[in-house]
Amino acid sequence: MRVRNAWRKQFSAEKPRAPFSFHGGLKLDTSKRALTRFNSTGIKELPLPAKLVVPLIDYHKNNIEPLVNIQQTVSRGQIIAPGIISPAYGTVSVIEPCEFIHPGGLSVNSVVIDTHANNSENPPVSIPSAKAAQAMINSFAEQPIETLEQAALVGLGGAGFPTLHKIKSANNGIHTLIINAAECEPEIACDEALMLAEPEAIALGIETLVQLTQCQQCIIAIEDSKPLAQQQLSEAINTFDVNAAIMTIPTRYPTGAETTLIEVVTGKRLAYRNANSPTTKSQTTPSEHGIVCINIGTAHALWQMVERNQALDSRVVSLGGSNMRNPCNVRVRFGTPVNFVLSATDNTPDNAHTRIRAGGPLSGFDLHSLNAPITANTNCILAEAAFIETPAQPCIRCGQCADVCPVKLLPQQLHWYAQSEDHDKCAQLNLAACIECGCCDLVCPASIKLTETFRYAKSTARFLSEQNQKADEAEQRFKNREERLKQREADRKAAIEKRKQAVKSQDKKTNTDRIKAALERARTKQKSSKD
Amino acid sequence: MLKPILDTQAVSLKTLNTQHIMLWVLAALLPGVFVYAWFISPLVFFNIALAAVLAVVFEALALYWRGQAIHGGVQDGSIVVAAVLLALAVPPLLPFWQLAVGVFIMVMLGKQVYGGLGNNPFNPAMVGYAALLVSFPQTMTLWSAPDLLNQLTLGHLLNAKLSLDLLNPNLLIDWDGITRATPLEHLRTLKMQGLSVDQNLAQQQFISSGWVWTNLAFLLGGLLLLYRRIIQWHIPASVILSFALCSLLFSAQNVPWYLSVFSGALMLGAFFIATDPVTAASSNRGRLVFGAGIGALCFIIREFGGYPEGFAFAVLLMNLCVPLIDHIDMHWGTSA
Amino acid sequence: MSEYALILLTTVLVNNFVLTQFLGLCPFMGVSRTLETAVGMGLATTFVLTLASALSFLIDHWLLQPYDLTYLRTLSFILIIAIVVQFAEIVIRQRSPLLHRVLGLYLPLITTNCAVLGVALLSSRQHHSLLEAVFFGFGAALGFTLVLVLFSLLRERLNGANVPDAFKGNAIGLITAGIMSLAFMGFSGLS
Amino acid sequence: MTLPALVGLVVLLAALVFIGAALARLSRPINTEGHSGDEQLIEKVNNLLPQTQCAQCGHPGCRPYAYAIIKQREPINRCPPGGDRTIADLAELLGTTALPLDSSCGEQKPIQVAIIDESVCIGCTLCIHACPVDAIVGAGKLMHTVISDQCTGCELCLPPCPVDCIDLVSPATSTSDWQWPRPA
């Protein structure tokens, strides 16, 4: 099961452990594709566009309210909404729904910033001596962890989960810190480019993370297809004496995904083997097990925070795909529209049939509009030739999908039940554990769109359970209302009854009293008038 | 504009499509077919051709009735594979119209009423075979004798085969002359008469009948499929193992287990019939159970049942259990 | 001991009441839509069949035969079955109202389930002993439950199949039952 | 008929009468307990209903409809908001066949929420009283507003409004409840 390799012995002799394996997965052959790898010319800096678009949306895809007004001047790094910072110095020109990178081509309320001409450039990260670096890290680590909020750190792997939340959600402490230096998908090379360009900053960022999380071990997982990057990083780690070990993992899609990476590094399977708890919580989060997975780009961004107090406002984006004229890696400020990135690198599609994708060939999607801005989740922009649809044939249940599924599901069974909308069966077959990697689609001899069906089934199941919850709440409110109305009616009846009773019981007495009183008053009046 | 969500063409990965899989299965059947034709009867070519043509015609007809694209439905080749399997399973001398009935049942009741490829719970070829076996028990157990083949012309045999008049007494006498029971049927007859079987004689008969060689040829084809990863090892291995184990432990007949494994339709069944993925269990664990069930049932029917060869029934019975196997498997967790 | 095992095996597989004798087809088609109902029906039928075959044996041997009343056999057997069914219905209604509701009419209809009466009559015709009769009934019920459960799971799977409109529902159910019965013919002659 | 036969007949009849009486006795106390079983069943049916409380089924709420389904054998196809999915779920629960929606109750519409035109609203509080799920807030002489998250789209607030200022609109697709499309 275990894969031996020579790299491990050479660079991390004190922690000799071979990576574990995981079920399924695919060796994807990408050698024929236009790649940015190895012949890359480093990371290109992109000029700042005149207009930046910052979508006001959080990790859970909920809209958030802005903290700035129109015409307000914002500085770089200023918080403009909870968890969101302004990527540049400029003026808020408008706050309106704008397109963003979304599979459905939706728009979301966004802050549009007109950038000012005298914006500061990104100076190259300066690398201090090992001693000075340790001092800086120590003083940073002594600050409360909430300081990280200013950095607006989110995972740069593709999902964009806030790093601070990730670290804080590990209630029982962090045992293992995994630095993800494996690219998610074959077409992406942004992590590799960063490792080649700035290994020292990454190494120092990792050291900061180790100090912050107080973890017992830190493992940097690099795919064996990047020996050069590994060498660079390992030298930097030795130079700064970082408490981390490098583990070379086999290049097999989808090792870069969190679930599989954790399995490869620690041998623990977290996300699956839970057939009997439908819909609700079929997955346990890694932090519950004391494992935290952080992307290498995030570590780099953290070092920028330590070194010059700069928040995360840009990232490296791979420009690739078969129809990309100048494939390269560029550092892009968040909020830069995709078409600006393409035109600035002379990659504007010359062909109407060229599709521009974000997120990779497998877990990504085609963009509806090139006006959508780059965000922390955008690890690549791909230009691909027109898609030739292969019509799906009937499933013969050959089971090749089950053989490659990295989370050991039975896609053929899931597909059968997802198509007939049997959501209970899907839940029993643990559909929620599907990581939507697309391996099953790739091997399917009948070209069935399995992953699309699963995404649909998952979102429908979620929709139904939300509806159910809403219905429960509505029922509760209805019950409360009934109760209230009943109570009110009862109160009213009781009040009437009480009055009646009061009238009845005091009937005679009061009446005679009243007459007496009236007579008395009349008499006294008479008397007084006489007098 | 089309917005593909999964860009499968961006990742170059060589995979087989359904048509390729079916072609590979047909190719893997070839050695078995030739050995069968050599040792048992060359009439099998006629049967295969007839069954394949009829199957395609019936399939096209059914697709036309259902208002579906005929070309797309037929071209995957699955029905041809099923037809060849049925033609290999029936005796070579089966009258052609009976074979046609079998093919019709296979296509219509076995496959198309359930919605075509991928929807049928039962193995279509075995549905056709079982229907033929219970409908025409007399002709379905007529096997030609290999040593007599040389003395009769092929035309003679074809003539007998094409005859519509099944119950013609002259023909029956004629057939008695040219047919002989398979070793399994011979064993069965002996058992019925309460006679014990001499081991050496049985061995000799098993080997000389050519069934062993045919089975070996099918094993060869099966190994090819395994090597090409068209099929997985789970089902054939468990079928053969459970059958061998059963005959080793419980067989009352004097036939060594290594010979009974290579008799009848066991190899053809284990590698080509039971591995039909549509009607087999889903998970690898389930497939082991599925295969073991087939092996055991096949042994039980051969040893104690009323039919000389029980593979078809064993497959159908386990097809019946597939939803149960999947159900239990699902509740035991998804990982195999 | 082996004779009882043989009775069980024969009634469950070889002479399966549903698939080879075609008795009790009405609940077989009616309550096989989901696994839960199938299991519930199977349990109810097992209870009724086992108890009914024992009771009918007793009535037959101690009442009908000594007093020469065998012409009342069918009548009294039906009465016994009705009593046992009533009892089962009461128990189920108490234990699982949902199952009671789901089985609906099919529960009292066990009374007219020809398999139940058939088992009682066949048992008396074959001159079984008491224990044999009980095993006979139990085996028949076990066979009924087995095929009912298998059939219900098959039908659950067929829900997702692309069956032509003309064959949807009971039509494909009957065809499937036919092929099941074909498969069970493999057991014929088993000795 | 001989004497023993007559005796046997009498014995048989006596036994049957006795058993019948025993069964009748047995079933009586259980019947009252069967009541609680029905309660469970009503609860299960109620859980499947959409809880819009729209009364389109002709019952004053979802629970009364559930009660009617179990106790009065009301058809299961009288819930327009739940539509075919609810009918299918009910059919599966109760082991009956799914019927098409009874069009006399109404038609299944996409999810809607009520919205009050605040410039027209006169603050009469009539809609607040009509809302079965307390999704409208406001006070007398002040304009009202619908809490769109809690609105079930039951349309019960439409008839009482004297100025006709309530509309039903389909809620805007927000990014949080966007769904992947069904593959072709």
Side-chain angles (χ1 to χ4, degrees), chain A residues 29 355 357 361-362 364 366-367 386 395 403 413 428 445 455, chain B residues 3-7 9-10 12 16-17 118 232 278 282 330:
Chain A
D29 174 28
R355 299 174 294 120
R357 278 176 83 80
L362 296 170
D366 283 14
L367 292 183
C395 171
D403 291 338
Q413 288 277 82
Q428 284 173 348
R455 279 174 171 153
Chain B
K3 296 276 174 205
I5 290 169
L6 211 78
D7 200 348
Q9 74 186 27
S12 48
L16 294 171
N17 64 23
Q232 299 271 318
V278 178
S282 304
M330 187 168 76

PDB file of all heavy atoms in Angstrom, chain A residues 29 355 357 361-362 364 366-367 386 395 403 413 428 445 455, chain B residues 3-7 9-10 12 16-17 118 232 278 282 330:
ATOM      1  N   ASP A  29      -3.218  12.280 -17.273  1.00  0.00           N
ATOM      2  CA  ASP A  29      -2.116  12.591 -18.180  1.00  0.00           C
ATOM      3  C   ASP A  29      -2.345  13.982 -18.747  1.00  0.00           C
ATOM      4  O   ASP A  29      -3.281  14.218 -19.498  1.00  0.00           O
ATOM      5  CB  ASP A  29      -2.080  11.555 -19.307  1.00  0.00           C
ATOM      6  CG  ASP A  29      -1.052  11.942 -20.341  1.00  0.00           C
ATOM      7  OD1 ASP A  29      -0.070  12.610 -19.960  1.00  0.00           O
ATOM      8  OD2 ASP A  29      -1.236  11.580 -21.506  1.00  0.00           O
ATOM      9  N   ARG A 355     -14.097  28.867 -24.519  1.00  0.00           N
ATOM     10  CA  ARG A 355     -14.781  28.935 -23.231  1.00  0.00           C
ATOM     11  C   ARG A 355     -13.781  29.347 -22.169  1.00  0.00           C
ATOM     12  O   ARG A 355     -12.643  28.892 -22.167  1.00  0.00           O
ATOM     13  CB  ARG A 355     -15.353  27.574 -22.846  1.00  0.00           C
ATOM     14  CG  ARG A 355     -16.379  27.040 -23.813  1.00  0.00           C
ATOM     15  CD  ARG A 355     -16.798  25.642 -23.458  1.00  0.00           C
ATOM     16  NE  ARG A 355     -15.705  24.688 -23.606  1.00  0.00           N
ATOM     17  CZ  ARG A 355     -15.222  23.956 -22.631  1.00  0.00           C
ATOM     18  NH1 ARG A 355     -15.726  24.036 -21.412  1.00  0.00           N
ATOM     19  NH2 ARG A 355     -14.234  23.115 -22.840  1.00  0.00           N
ATOM     20  N   ARG A 357     -13.028  29.206 -18.279  1.00  0.00           N
ATOM     21  CA  ARG A 357     -13.449  28.454 -17.094  1.00  0.00           C
ATOM     22  C   ARG A 357     -12.726  28.967 -15.868  1.00  0.00           C
ATOM     23  O   ARG A 357     -11.615  29.501 -15.960  1.00  0.00           O
ATOM     24  CB  ARG A 357     -13.084  26.972 -17.235  1.00  0.00           C
ATOM     25  CG  ARG A 357     -14.021  26.141 -18.012  1.00  0.00           C
ATOM     26  CD  ARG A 357     -13.479  24.746 -18.128  1.00  0.00           C
ATOM     27  NE  ARG A 357     -13.777  23.945 -16.946  1.00  0.00           N
ATOM     28  CZ  ARG A 357     -14.940  23.360 -16.727  1.00  0.00           C
ATOM     29  NH1 ARG A 357     -15.912  23.512 -17.574  1.00  0.00           N
ATOM     30  NH2 ARG A 357     -15.144  22.634 -15.654  1.00  0.00           N
ATOM     31  N   PRO A 361     -10.497  22.106 -14.669  1.00  0.00           N
ATOM     32  CA  PRO A 361     -11.301  21.371 -15.641  1.00  0.00           C
ATOM     33  C   PRO A 361     -12.370  20.504 -14.994  1.00  0.00           C
ATOM     34  O   PRO A 361     -13.410  20.272 -15.588  1.00  0.00           O
ATOM     35  CB  PRO A 361     -10.287  20.517 -16.398  1.00  0.00           C
ATOM     36  CG  PRO A 361      -9.048  20.527 -15.596  1.00  0.00           C
ATOM     37  CD  PRO A 361      -9.076  21.731 -14.715  1.00  0.00           C
ATOM     38  N   LEU A 362     -12.111  20.013 -13.777  1.00  0.00           N
ATOM     39  CA  LEU A 362     -13.043  19.044 -13.211  1.00  0.00           C
ATOM     40  C   LEU A 362     -13.978  19.642 -12.171  1.00  0.00           C
ATOM     41  O   LEU A 362     -15.178  19.458 -12.233  1.00  0.00           O
ATOM     42  CB  LEU A 362     -12.270  17.866 -12.622  1.00  0.00           C
ATOM     43  CG  LEU A 362     -11.515  17.106 -13.693  1.00  0.00           C
ATOM     44  CD1 LEU A 362     -10.567  16.118 -13.097  1.00  0.00           C
ATOM     45  CD2 LEU A 362     -12.492  16.421 -14.624  1.00  0.00           C
ATOM     46  N   GLY A 364     -14.359  22.823 -11.659  1.00  0.00           N
ATOM     47  CA  GLY A 364     -14.727  24.197 -12.004  1.00  0.00           C
ATOM     48  C   GLY A 364     -15.970  24.259 -12.868  1.00  0.00           C
ATOM     49  O   GLY A 364     -16.756  23.336 -12.927  1.00  0.00           O
ATOM     50  N   ASP A 366     -17.732  26.748 -16.468  1.00  0.00           N
ATOM     51  CA  ASP A 366     -17.563  27.814 -17.442  1.00  0.00           C
ATOM     52  C   ASP A 366     -18.165  29.109 -16.920  1.00  0.00           C
ATOM     53  O   ASP A 366     -19.224  29.098 -16.292  1.00  0.00           O
ATOM     54  CB  ASP A 366     -18.266  27.434 -18.747  1.00  0.00           C
ATOM     55  CG  ASP A 366     -17.470  26.427 -19.528  1.00  0.00           C
ATOM     56  OD1 ASP A 366     -16.545  25.853 -18.924  1.00  0.00           O
ATOM     57  OD2 ASP A 366     -17.760  26.213 -20.706  1.00  0.00           O
ATOM     58  N   LEU A 367     -17.475  30.208 -17.201  1.00  0.00           N
ATOM     59  CA  LEU A 367     -17.966  31.496 -16.721  1.00  0.00           C
ATOM     60  C   LEU A 367     -19.082  31.994 -17.635  1.00  0.00           C
ATOM     61  O   LEU A 367     -19.034  31.830 -18.851  1.00  0.00           O
ATOM     62  CB  LEU A 367     -16.834  32.516 -16.703  1.00  0.00           C
ATOM     63  CG  LEU A 367     -15.744  32.260 -15.673  1.00  0.00           C
ATOM     64  CD1 LEU A 367     -14.729  33.383 -15.715  1.00  0.00           C
ATOM     65  CD2 LEU A 367     -16.348  32.163 -14.288  1.00  0.00           C
ATOM     66  N   ALA A 386     -14.206  24.726 -27.763  1.00  0.00           N
ATOM     67  CA  ALA A 386     -15.638  24.451 -27.626  1.00  0.00           C
ATOM     68  C   ALA A 386     -15.857  23.022 -27.158  1.00  0.00           C
ATOM     69  O   ALA A 386     -15.113  22.108 -27.504  1.00  0.00           O
ATOM     70  CB  ALA A 386     -16.343  24.692 -28.955  1.00  0.00           C
ATOM     71  N   CYS A 395     -26.530   3.389 -18.314  1.00  0.00           N
ATOM     72  CA  CYS A 395     -25.540   2.849 -17.381  1.00  0.00           C
ATOM     73  C   CYS A 395     -25.614   1.333 -17.380  1.00  0.00           C
ATOM     74  O   CYS A 395     -26.690   0.757 -17.267  1.00  0.00           O
ATOM     75  CB  CYS A 395     -25.833   3.372 -15.975  1.00  0.00           C
ATOM     76  SG  CYS A 395     -24.874   2.594 -14.685  1.00  0.00           S
ATOM     77  N   ASP A 403     -14.715   2.006  -8.637  1.00  0.00           N
ATOM     78  CA  ASP A 403     -13.297   1.690  -8.471  1.00  0.00           C
ATOM     79  C   ASP A 403     -12.440   2.939  -8.327  1.00  0.00           C
ATOM     80  O   ASP A 403     -11.384   2.898  -7.707  1.00  0.00           O
ATOM     81  CB  ASP A 403     -12.795   0.884  -9.676  1.00  0.00           C
ATOM     82  CG  ASP A 403     -13.402  -0.501  -9.695  1.00  0.00           C
ATOM     83  OD1 ASP A 403     -13.841  -0.952  -8.621  1.00  0.00           O
ATOM     84  OD2 ASP A 403     -13.456  -1.112 -10.767  1.00  0.00           O
ATOM     85  N   GLN A 413     -24.961   3.174  -8.186  1.00  0.00           N
ATOM     86  CA  GLN A 413     -26.181   3.069  -7.398  1.00  0.00           C
ATOM     87  C   GLN A 413     -26.748   4.457  -7.112  1.00  0.00           C
ATOM     88  O   GLN A 413     -27.947   4.691  -7.210  1.00  0.00           O
ATOM     89  CB  GLN A 413     -25.883   2.376  -6.055  1.00  0.00           C
ATOM     90  CG  GLN A 413     -25.619   0.910  -6.174  1.00  0.00           C
ATOM     91  CD  GLN A 413     -26.910   0.147  -6.224  1.00  0.00           C
ATOM     92  OE1 GLN A 413     -27.521   0.045  -7.275  1.00  0.00           O
ATOM     93  NE2 GLN A 413     -27.352  -0.384  -5.103  1.00  0.00           N
ATOM     94  N   GLN A 428     -28.893   7.220   2.288  1.00  0.00           N
ATOM     95  CA  GLN A 428     -28.388   5.967   2.856  1.00  0.00           C
ATOM     96  C   GLN A 428     -27.095   5.547   2.184  1.00  0.00           C
ATOM     97  O   GLN A 428     -26.228   4.963   2.815  1.00  0.00           O
ATOM     98  CB  GLN A 428     -29.434   4.859   2.690  1.00  0.00           C
ATOM     99  CG  GLN A 428     -30.572   4.980   3.673  1.00  0.00           C
ATOM    100  CD  GLN A 428     -31.669   3.991   3.381  1.00  0.00           C
ATOM    101  OE1 GLN A 428     -31.700   3.355   2.327  1.00  0.00           O
ATOM    102  NE2 GLN A 428     -32.589   3.863   4.305  1.00  0.00           N
ATOM    103  N   PRO A 445     -17.794   4.566 -19.075  1.00  0.00           N
ATOM    104  CA  PRO A 445     -17.797   4.181 -20.485  1.00  0.00           C
ATOM    105  C   PRO A 445     -19.031   4.686 -21.212  1.00  0.00           C
ATOM    106  O   PRO A 445     -19.051   4.738 -22.434  1.00  0.00           O
ATOM    107  CB  PRO A 445     -17.767   2.653 -20.449  1.00  0.00           C
ATOM    108  CG  PRO A 445     -18.223   2.284 -19.104  1.00  0.00           C
ATOM    109  CD  PRO A 445     -17.937   3.419 -18.183  1.00  0.00           C
ATOM    110  N   ARG A 455     -24.503  16.648  -7.858  1.00  0.00           N
ATOM    111  CA  ARG A 455     -24.634  18.021  -7.379  1.00  0.00           C
ATOM    112  C   ARG A 455     -26.098  18.410  -7.314  1.00  0.00           C
ATOM    113  O   ARG A 455     -26.556  19.011  -6.344  1.00  0.00           O
ATOM    114  CB  ARG A 455     -23.909  18.975  -8.331  1.00  0.00           C
ATOM    115  CG  ARG A 455     -22.440  19.014  -8.086  1.00  0.00           C
ATOM    116  CD  ARG A 455     -21.784  19.855  -9.146  1.00  0.00           C
ATOM    117  NE  ARG A 455     -20.396  20.097  -8.824  1.00  0.00           N
ATOM    118  CZ  ARG A 455     -19.469  20.326  -9.735  1.00  0.00           C
ATOM    119  NH1 ARG A 455     -19.779  20.345 -10.999  1.00  0.00           N
ATOM    120  NH2 ARG A 455     -18.228  20.553  -9.370  1.00  0.00           N
TER     121      ARG A 455
ATOM    122  N   LYS B   3     -23.131  25.424 -21.123  1.00  0.00           N
ATOM    123  CA  LYS B   3     -22.154  25.696 -20.064  1.00  0.00           C
ATOM    124  C   LYS B   3     -21.744  24.388 -19.404  1.00  0.00           C
ATOM    125  O   LYS B   3     -22.356  23.977 -18.427  1.00  0.00           O
ATOM    126  CB  LYS B   3     -22.787  26.610 -19.004  1.00  0.00           C
ATOM    127  CG  LYS B   3     -23.153  27.977 -19.511  1.00  0.00           C
ATOM    128  CD  LYS B   3     -21.962  28.887 -19.478  1.00  0.00           C
ATOM    129  CE  LYS B   3     -22.305  30.212 -20.122  1.00  0.00           C
ATOM    130  NZ  LYS B   3     -21.142  30.893 -20.644  1.00  0.00           N
ATOM    131  N   PRO B   4     -20.766  23.722 -19.947  1.00  0.00           N
ATOM    132  CA  PRO B   4     -20.398  22.449 -19.317  1.00  0.00           C
ATOM    133  C   PRO B   4     -19.870  22.666 -17.901  1.00  0.00           C
ATOM    134  O   PRO B   4     -19.106  23.601 -17.653  1.00  0.00           O
ATOM    135  CB  PRO B   4     -19.321  21.876 -20.225  1.00  0.00           C
ATOM    136  CG  PRO B   4     -18.970  22.928 -21.161  1.00  0.00           C
ATOM    137  CD  PRO B   4     -19.927  24.043 -21.082  1.00  0.00           C
ATOM    138  N   ILE B   5     -20.332  21.832 -17.021  1.00  0.00           N
ATOM    139  CA  ILE B   5     -19.894  21.976 -15.640  1.00  0.00           C
ATOM    140  C   ILE B   5     -18.641  21.148 -15.423  1.00  0.00           C
ATOM    141  O   ILE B   5     -17.746  21.530 -14.694  1.00  0.00           O
ATOM    142  CB  ILE B   5     -21.035  21.559 -14.704  1.00  0.00           C
ATOM    143  CG1 ILE B   5     -22.133  22.607 -14.807  1.00  0.00           C
ATOM    144  CG2 ILE B   5     -20.564  21.457 -13.280  1.00  0.00           C
ATOM    145  CD1 ILE B   5     -23.402  22.248 -14.174  1.00  0.00           C
ATOM    146  N   LEU B   6     -18.583  20.035 -16.094  1.00  0.00           N
ATOM    147  CA  LEU B   6     -17.417  19.189 -15.927  1.00  0.00           C
ATOM    148  C   LEU B   6     -16.726  19.080 -17.279  1.00  0.00           C
ATOM    149  O   LEU B   6     -17.317  18.629 -18.245  1.00  0.00           O
ATOM    150  CB  LEU B   6     -17.862  17.810 -15.458  1.00  0.00           C
ATOM    151  CG  LEU B   6     -16.884  17.101 -14.575  1.00  0.00           C
ATOM    152  CD1 LEU B   6     -16.970  17.655 -13.179  1.00  0.00           C
ATOM    153  CD2 LEU B   6     -17.194  15.639 -14.565  1.00  0.00           C
ATOM    154  N   ASP B   7     -15.488  19.529 -17.356  1.00  0.00           N
ATOM    155  CA  ASP B   7     -14.819  19.560 -18.640  1.00  0.00           C
ATOM    156  C   ASP B   7     -14.051  18.268 -18.840  1.00  0.00           C
ATOM    157  O   ASP B   7     -12.836  18.208 -18.680  1.00  0.00           O
ATOM    158  CB  ASP B   7     -13.892  20.768 -18.696  1.00  0.00           C
ATOM    159  CG  ASP B   7     -13.545  21.127 -20.125  1.00  0.00           C
ATOM    160  OD1 ASP B   7     -13.833  20.306 -20.996  1.00  0.00           O
ATOM    161  OD2 ASP B   7     -13.001  22.206 -20.350  1.00  0.00           O
ATOM    162  N   GLN B   9     -13.331  16.686 -21.433  1.00  0.00           N
ATOM    163  CA  GLN B   9     -12.431  16.582 -22.575  1.00  0.00           C
ATOM    164  C   GLN B   9     -11.095  17.281 -22.314  1.00  0.00           C
ATOM    165  O   GLN B   9     -10.138  17.067 -23.029  1.00  0.00           O
ATOM    166  CB  GLN B   9     -13.090  17.148 -23.818  1.00  0.00           C
ATOM    167  CG  GLN B   9     -13.190  18.657 -23.846  1.00  0.00           C
ATOM    168  CD  GLN B   9     -13.999  19.131 -25.044  1.00  0.00           C
ATOM    169  OE1 GLN B   9     -14.854  18.423 -25.538  1.00  0.00           O
ATOM    170  NE2 GLN B   9     -13.731  20.329 -25.490  1.00  0.00           N
ATOM    171  N   ALA B  10     -11.060  18.127 -21.280  1.00  0.00           N
ATOM    172  CA  ALA B  10      -9.814  18.830 -20.990  1.00  0.00           C
ATOM    173  C   ALA B  10      -8.780  17.891 -20.384  1.00  0.00           C
ATOM    174  O   ALA B  10      -7.588  18.169 -20.399  1.00  0.00           O
ATOM    175  CB  ALA B  10     -10.074  19.993 -20.048  1.00  0.00           C
ATOM    176  N   SER B  12      -7.140  14.481 -20.746  1.00  0.00           N
ATOM    177  CA  SER B  12      -7.060  13.361 -21.672  1.00  0.00           C
ATOM    178  C   SER B  12      -6.881  12.075 -20.895  1.00  0.00           C
ATOM    179  O   SER B  12      -5.903  11.890 -20.193  1.00  0.00           O
ATOM    180  CB  SER B  12      -5.897  13.567 -22.631  1.00  0.00           C
ATOM    181  OG  SER B  12      -4.755  13.927 -21.908  1.00  0.00           O
ATOM    182  N   LEU B  16     -12.581   3.238 -22.139  1.00  0.00           N
ATOM    183  CA  LEU B  16     -13.380   2.458 -23.075  1.00  0.00           C
ATOM    184  C   LEU B  16     -14.800   2.957 -23.030  1.00  0.00           C
ATOM    185  O   LEU B  16     -15.287   3.345 -21.978  1.00  0.00           O
ATOM    186  CB  LEU B  16     -13.363   0.985 -22.653  1.00  0.00           C
ATOM    187  CG  LEU B  16     -12.036   0.271 -22.736  1.00  0.00           C
ATOM    188  CD1 LEU B  16     -12.167  -1.086 -22.074  1.00  0.00           C
ATOM    189  CD2 LEU B  16     -11.630   0.103 -24.171  1.00  0.00           C
ATOM    190  N   ASN B  17     -15.496   2.928 -24.167  1.00  0.00           N
ATOM    191  CA  ASN B  17     -16.929   3.157 -24.067  1.00  0.00           C
ATOM    192  C   ASN B  17     -17.658   1.816 -24.135  1.00  0.00           C
ATOM    193  O   ASN B  17     -17.045   0.761 -24.302  1.00  0.00           O
ATOM    194  CB  ASN B  17     -17.415   4.156 -25.124  1.00  0.00           C
ATOM    195  CG  ASN B  17     -17.230   3.637 -26.531  1.00  0.00           C
ATOM    196  OD1 ASN B  17     -17.154   2.438 -26.729  1.00  0.00           O
ATOM    197  ND2 ASN B  17     -17.151   4.536 -27.478  1.00  0.00           N
ATOM    198  N   GLY B 118     -29.299  -1.748 -19.122  1.00  0.00           N
ATOM    199  CA  GLY B 118     -29.046  -1.114 -17.838  1.00  0.00           C
ATOM    200  C   GLY B 118     -30.213  -1.150 -16.887  1.00  0.00           C
ATOM    201  O   GLY B 118     -30.052  -0.905 -15.700  1.00  0.00           O
ATOM    202  N   GLN B 232     -13.999  -7.578 -13.430  1.00  0.00           N
ATOM    203  CA  GLN B 232     -13.227  -7.662 -12.194  1.00  0.00           C
ATOM    204  C   GLN B 232     -13.134  -9.128 -11.773  1.00  0.00           C
ATOM    205  O   GLN B 232     -13.949  -9.946 -12.175  1.00  0.00           O
ATOM    206  CB  GLN B 232     -13.922  -6.854 -11.105  1.00  0.00           C
ATOM    207  CG  GLN B 232     -14.057  -5.392 -11.445  1.00  0.00           C
ATOM    208  CD  GLN B 232     -12.856  -4.600 -10.986  1.00  0.00           C
ATOM    209  OE1 GLN B 232     -12.348  -4.807  -9.899  1.00  0.00           O
ATOM    210  NE2 GLN B 232     -12.389  -3.690 -11.822  1.00  0.00           N
ATOM    211  N   VAL B 278     -24.815  -5.382 -15.344  1.00  0.00           N
ATOM    212  CA  VAL B 278     -26.152  -4.818 -15.139  1.00  0.00           C
ATOM    213  C   VAL B 278     -26.902  -5.595 -14.066  1.00  0.00           C
ATOM    214  O   VAL B 278     -27.572  -5.018 -13.216  1.00  0.00           O
ATOM    215  CB  VAL B 278     -26.950  -4.847 -16.460  1.00  0.00           C
ATOM    216  CG1 VAL B 278     -28.344  -4.307 -16.248  1.00  0.00           C
ATOM    217  CG2 VAL B 278     -26.239  -4.047 -17.517  1.00  0.00           C
ATOM    218  N   SER B 282     -23.668  -4.523  -6.779  1.00  0.00           N
ATOM    219  CA  SER B 282     -22.956  -3.274  -7.073  1.00  0.00           C
ATOM    220  C   SER B 282     -21.555  -3.216  -6.489  1.00  0.00           C
ATOM    221  O   SER B 282     -20.609  -2.861  -7.174  1.00  0.00           O
ATOM    222  CB  SER B 282     -23.739  -2.091  -6.533  1.00  0.00           C
ATOM    223  OG  SER B 282     -25.026  -2.095  -7.047  1.00  0.00           O
ATOM    224  N   MET B 330     -25.553  -1.913   1.703  1.00  0.00           N
ATOM    225  CA  MET B 330     -25.708  -0.483   1.969  1.00  0.00           C
ATOM    226  C   MET B 330     -25.792  -0.227   3.462  1.00  0.00           C
ATOM    227  O   MET B 330     -25.240   0.750   3.964  1.00  0.00           O
ATOM    228  CB  MET B 330     -26.977  -0.001   1.275  1.00  0.00           C
ATOM    229  CG  MET B 330     -27.206   1.468   1.318  1.00  0.00           C
ATOM    230  SD  MET B 330     -28.517   1.894   0.202  1.00  0.00           S
ATOM    231  CE  MET B 330     -29.939   1.351   1.118  1.00  0.00           C
TER     232      MET B 330
END
